[in-house]
Structure formats: C-alpha cells, structure tokens
Amino acid sequence: MVIKVRLQARLSIYLVLVGLLLSSFIFSQKTYKNPIITGMNPDPSICRVNDDFYMVTATFEYFPGLPIYHSKDLVHWKMIGYVLSRANNCPVGGASSSGGNFAPALRYHNGTFYVSCTNYGGNGSQGVFYVTAKNPAGPWSDPIWIGNWNVDPSMMFANDSMYWISPDNKGGFMTGTINAATGKFITPLRKVAAGLGGSSPEGPHMYKINGYYYLMSAEGGTGYEHREVIQRSKTPWGPFDASPYNPVVSNMKVPQSPIQAIGHADLLQLADSSWWLVCLGIRPTGGKFHHLGRETYLAPVTWSPDGWPKGGVDGVVKERFPCPNLPEHVWEKEPVRDNFDSSVLRLPWNFLRVPYGQDWSLTEKPGYLRLKGSGVSLNDKDSPAFVGRRQTAFNVTASSKISFIPTAANEEAGLTVRGDDHNHFDLLITKVKGTRVAMFRKYLKGKITGVNSRQIADGDIVLRITATENQYKFWVLQEGKPDRLLGSALTKDISTEMIGGFTGTYIGMYASGNGRANANPADFDWFDYAEGIN
C-alpha cells in the first residue's frame, strides 16, 4: 500500500513536471527576436491608433528622411513611407556625415499624426520643427519651425494642450505649450527638471499616466553606458522625483550580452493594458565594434506597486521575449531582386543628402536604374549619384549587373559599402592606362589605403559583395569566366568605434566623375539583396 501511494505521488509529481515543461515549451514558441527592425534605425518613437502601430526612426544625412513603419503585432514591421520626402521638408543638402535629421518623436492626436525632429546642418535648416499628416504613409506637411536648437524635442497631448518637451542643452529639461496649428508658444518654455546624473541627458518623452506626469529620458551618451531613466511629478511643470528603480532599461552592466548601448526609449500601452517600450541598441562583433548602426528593440514593461516602470528583465533587454498578446501579422517579404521596372524607387532605397534630379533616372532606359556620374564623389559633403540601402544583417550578399563604359581614368561606377564620406569600400569599373578594369578600393580616414584591379572585357559585368560578421569580400563575375575575388575588408574598419558618428552601414550603387561629369551613364539592370547568404 505504501509503495502504491509513493508511486502515485511520484506519478503526480511527474505529471506536474511534464505539464510545466509542455507549458514552457508552448510558451517558448510564442517569442520574438530582437532587434525588431534591423540595420540603421535609431531613436525609435512609437504610437498606437486602435489596432495599428506606427514607428519612426532617425536618418541623419540620408534622403528621404525618417521612415515610417507599420505593424499589427508590434513584432513584424513594414516600411510604408517617409515623413520627410521632399527637398523643402527634408533640408539635408550640405549636412555633414551624421548631420541632418536627429531623434524624431511620433504622436497621434484627434485624427492627426505629428512628428517632431531636430535638423542639423542642412541648407535651410532652422533647428527643431514638427510636421503633420492625416495618413502616416504621407504626404506630410512642410516643417513648422520652432526656432530653437534645443535637441531631441518631443510632444505630449494632454489637458487640451500640446506640450513641447525639450532638453535645455545644459543638462536639464524644459516644457511649454504650443499652438499646434502655428507652432507659436502659448506657454513659453521653462526648465521643469534636471537630468539624473548621467552624461548627455537627451531624448525626453512625457506621459500622463494615472495622475502622474512621467518624464523619461536617455543619458550616458549613445555608447556602451547608454541607459533610460525616468522621473515623475503631479504636474507637467514639476517638481519631478526620480524613480528609485532607475534605470528603466540598460545593458551596460551585462557586458556578456550580445546587445549593448540600450537607451532612447518610448513607452506604449496596448489595448489589453500591458505596457511595452521600444529603444535603440547595438550588436557589436569582433569585440566592441558595431557597423550595422543602432537598431530598434522591443521589451515588455512591468510596473512596481508604487507606480514605476521597469523594462525587460530587471532592466535588461534580451534577445528574446514572449510576444505581445496580439494576433501574429507577418508582412510579405521584400523580393531579393529589384529589376528597376517601376518609375519610382522602392522604399528601402535612399540617396545621400538631397539628390540632383539630373543624376538618376528610372525612365531614360526603362528597366534600368541609370546613374549619371557628376563631378561629386563619394568623398564629398554633397550628393553624388548614389542610391543605397541599409545593411540589415551581418550575413548578406549584394549583387548588381552593370553596363558602363568609362572613357577616362576619372570616371567610375559600381557598388560601395559606405560608413561615411571618409570611410567606404568600393567595387567599381574604371579605366587605367587606357584599359577597362574592375577595381576594389579601400578608402579609410579620408585616404586610399588599398587598391586591386583586374582587366575586364567589354560588356556587362556583375559586381558582388558578400558579408559576414567580421569581413566583406568583393567579387567580379563575367560570363564564361570563373568568379574573381578582388579583395576583402574588415567590418570593424567602418564601425562606429573606428569612424565615429551615429549612422550604420549602407550598401549601394554609384557613379562619379571625381571632379568632372562622366561621358557615359552607368545602367544598373538589377540589384539583388539577400540576407543569410554569402
């Protein structure tokens, strides 16, 4: 009898354990993987409109500016347009590398979407501004300039007012109220809170939650000590008290994590009352080197009994979390090949600064992207004939079929892996001593540091770049001949740690006469971009 009871007890324990394991297994299948938006997508800001979610990220000197993403489940995102898609609402001409459009904030109020932003160094720039739209995919209005240079502004709609929240560039934060139609201050900006001790307090957002006004901000700079902190007050004018549980999120004390530099977050509540945040982070490789740029991450938020938020697992953002309580909604994948068979470029493509209309065309030779190299080179603080896209994974293959006949040694066209104006790897067709060649060239810290070239026959050429976590390889393919490896380069050489700045790697097509216009255009028949293949 005793033996039977013991067996029954053991069986009961076993069944409980099996149940727990099965539950754990089922639960583990409903997880998502960070980052949720890969490649250069820093400073994310998010809003919810009924069952739809929209997000905006920063673009710096690239054009169009500030992509808008759409999601139904917070995990899968699709680019639907750009906030700044015209020269007159995206003044980035003349902006330096990592200049241009910083730290947007996205809000929705009474049928209108609002995006605030700071513009640095572009021709026509006037500091901070906001734009509006009825449809997040656009069109968006021209900028309403606020007329100050206090970076990273944000907005809060509460109490029948539009609040403008901004750093004061002196380590504190200011608040005022604005006439939403004119951009004129109703209540002038005044200091309402100080930073919480970390360097570079920035990126403030204010929320009215359960009778409190929460002021959340980033500090510690945008590097490995980046973090998000929060304070609150009974009024938007202060005084504010700091959370005893700060930081809200930061990975700076978990150096073993593959995710670092977590910060610059934005809070969101779902219809089921759960809370989430989006933030930026990086994925270093080969040591402390990251080249993809700052990407967008998602983490759940819990609240303490005394009303303070904490993100992730005790503030740490991990690679995987349980999915939000939302129906899964997966968007159709973007095709690997772009045949350039439309009269408009697909959304992933960007220019450098405001492009010159005469430098590119999708209609002069239908089915091709035509780039007409001007005197502007990839090294200039200007807009070369360049069309590129974010590198969105470590392991990628990018290829393009190009028709180009150079007539002089200054003329070139091909593919480039761009860190910034002074750091890029180029795979190109040019002329050397009267001979048409394919060339691989490293351009680092403003100087050519390595060149290799091979003579190539007349006709179209396929140029290919393969990438892994730590290395790029550059290939030339001609029909009837074996593939030729022209060179390789280290990813860390164009990492932020090596070149500085705030952007991430772009891979694109270009043409340049390096001081004089090319005699012939470069026609790109197609461009393939595939993740996970190299």
Side-chain angles (χ1 to χ4, degrees):
M1 183 66 178
V2 173
I3 294 174
K4 185 176 181 181
V5 170
R6 286 177 177 173
L7 287 173
Q8 288 176 336
R10 288 178 180 176
L11 180 60
S12 298
I13 293 171
Y14 174 78
L15 290 174
V16 168
L17 290 172
V18 169
L20 289 172
L21 288 170
L22 286 173
S23 298
S24 176
F25 176 79
I26 293 170
F27 189 66
S28 70
Q29 302 310 294
K30 299 179 180 179
T31 63
Y32 66 89
K33 185 176 182 180
N34 272 314
I36 54 169
I37 304 182
T38 56
M40 189 194 84
N41 280 282
D43 306 339
S45 184
I46 192 169
C47 72
R48 178 173 72 89
V49 182
N50 299 319
D51 295 329
D52 293 281
F53 304 94
Y54 301 98
M55 186 143 56
V56 63
T57 61
T59 44
F60 303 95
E61 71 265 34
Y62 290 97
F63 179 96
L66 312 186
I68 287 281
Y69 296 93
H70 178 210
S71 178
K72 303 287 284 186
D73 61 8
L74 274 186
V75 172
H76 301 95
W77 293 85
K78 175 185 179 181
M79 192 187 298
I80 60 171
Y82 288 90
V83 175
L84 308 177
S85 59
R86 307 181 302 279
N88 60 335
N89 80 347
C90 188
V92 290
S96 299
S97 294
S98 290
N101 294 301
F102 283 58
L106 172 65
R107 295 294 179 259
Y108 175 79
H109 180 67
N110 285 348
T112 299
F113 292 88
Y114 296 77
V115 168
S116 60
C117 190
T118 304
N119 183 280
Y120 271 106
N123 299 330
S125 171
Q126 301 172 48
V128 298
F129 65 92
Y130 65 93
V131 291
T132 62
K134 294 297 183 180
N135 183 341
W140 289 77
S141 71
D142 289 342
I144 299 172
W145 295 97
I146 301 301
N148 64 61
W149 287 93
N150 300 305
V151 300
D152 295 6
S154 184
M155 302 152 290
M156 177 182 69
F157 291 90
N159 312 322
D160 297 320
S161 297
M162 176 179 172
Y163 292 86
W164 190 259
I165 303 99
S166 171
D168 64 2
N169 294 356
K170 299 176 182 178
F173 299 103
M174 304 182 295
T175 298
T177 60
I178 279 183
N179 181 321
T182 66
K184 303 298 182 183
F185 279 95
I186 299 169
T187 306
L189 284 170
R190 68 174 188 256
K191 184 174 180 178
V192 298
L196 297 182
S199 65
S200 306
E202 60 187 9
H205 294 301
M206 191 179 286
Y207 315 88
K208 185 179 181 181
I209 303 170
N210 296 332
Y212 282 100
Y213 294 84
Y214 288 85
L215 178 61
M216 192 169 73
S217 59
E219 64 179 29
T222 194
Y224 289 83
E225 293 193 355
H226 203 34
R227 53 193 179 271
E228 193 75 9
V229 296
I230 200 163
Q231 48 193 316
R232 74 184 181 191
S233 171
K234 281 292 187 178
T235 81
W237 313 106
F240 282 82
D241 298 315
S243 167
Y245 310 110
N246 276 324
V248 179
V249 284
S250 179
N251 282 23
M252 66 180 183
K253 292 186 178 180
V254 283
Q256 71 277 11
S257 172
I259 302 167
Q260 293 296 320
I262 287 292
H264 206 110
D266 199 5
L267 287 171
L268 179 78
Q269 187 179 27
L270 273 56
D272 67 357
S273 297
S274 66
W275 285 84
W276 296 78
L277 64 78
V278 291
C279 61
L280 65 78
I282 62 174
R283 290 184 287 168
T285 64
K288 286 191 173 183
F289 300 101
H290 75 281
H291 62 286
L292 297 187
R294 296 169 298 163
E295 303 171 294
T296 294
Y297 292 76
L298 175 71
V301 173
T302 55
W303 291 80
S304 67
D306 50 346
W308 292 103
K310 196 77 170 176
V313 178
D314 195 26
V316 174
V317 175
K318 295 183 174 292
E319 286 186 284
R320 287 198 175 273
F321 288 107
C323 289
N325 182 27
L326 295 166
E328 185 179 51
H329 187 97
V330 180
W331 304 99
E332 183 179 355
K333 283 189 175 182
E334 178 190 343
V336 167
R337 175 161 293 186
D338 190 338
N339 282 306
F340 304 119
D341 52 5
S342 172
S343 60
V344 295
L345 284 169
R346 291 180 182 172
L347 289 174
W349 294 113
N350 290 146
F351 299 95
L352 259 174
R353 306 177 181 91
V354 180
Y356 299 106
Q358 69 271 18
D359 287 354
W360 70 283
S361 175
L362 287 165
T363 57
E364 286 187 12
K365 188 176 182 181
Y368 290 78
L369 170 65
R370 170 164 285 184
L371 295 180
K372 291 175 277 187
S374 69
V376 181
S377 77
L378 292 173
N379 316 326
D380 297 327
K381 193 175 73 172
D382 203 339
S383 184
F386 165 92
V387 176
R389 56 176 297 156
R390 294 164 181 80
Q391 183 180 339
T392 53
F394 293 122
N395 298 296
V396 300
T397 296
S399 305
S400 186
K401 185 178 181 181
I402 176 174
S403 174
F404 177 59
I405 303 173
T407 62
N410 64 292
E411 299 180 356
E412 62 184 65
L415 304 183
T416 185
V417 178
R418 182 182 189 270
D420 61 18
D421 294 340
H422 304 299
N423 300 273
H424 45 86
F425 306 131
D426 311 320
L427 180 61
L428 57 111
I429 297 170
T430 188
K431 205 163 194 177
V432 175
K433 297 180 179 180
T435 301
R436 184 175 183 245
V437 302
M439 178 182 290
F440 166 66
R441 180 180 61 211
K442 293 182 184 180
Y443 189 80
L444 296 172
K445 300 188 184 301
K447 296 180 180 179
I448 296 174
T449 63
V451 174
N452 186 32
S453 61
R454 293 279 186 93
Q455 181 178 345
I456 53 175
D458 294 339
D460 294 352
I461 298 292
V462 173
L463 302 178
R464 175 173 296 163
I465 299 170
T466 58
T468 60
E469 286 190 2
N470 299 312
Q471 187 180 59
Y472 294 104
K473 290 185 178 180
F474 300 84
W475 305 81
V476 177
L477 289 70
Q478 277 190 287
E479 189 173 350
K481 295 186 177 181
D483 298 353
R484 290 183 176 180
L485 176 65
L486 272 193
S488 62
L490 299 176
T491 60
K492 75 174 185 179
D493 284 344
I494 54 171
S495 67
T496 298
E497 290 79 6
M498 295 293 285
I499 70 175
F502 305 118
T503 57
T505 303
Y506 264 66
I507 298 177
M509 301 158 284
Y510 82 99
S512 175
N514 296 292
R516 302 192 308 273
N518 284 353
N520 294 318
D523 291 319
F524 294 85
D525 186 5
W526 46 260
F527 185 96
D528 287 355
Y529 179 84
E531 294 184 357
I533 302 173
N534 48 44

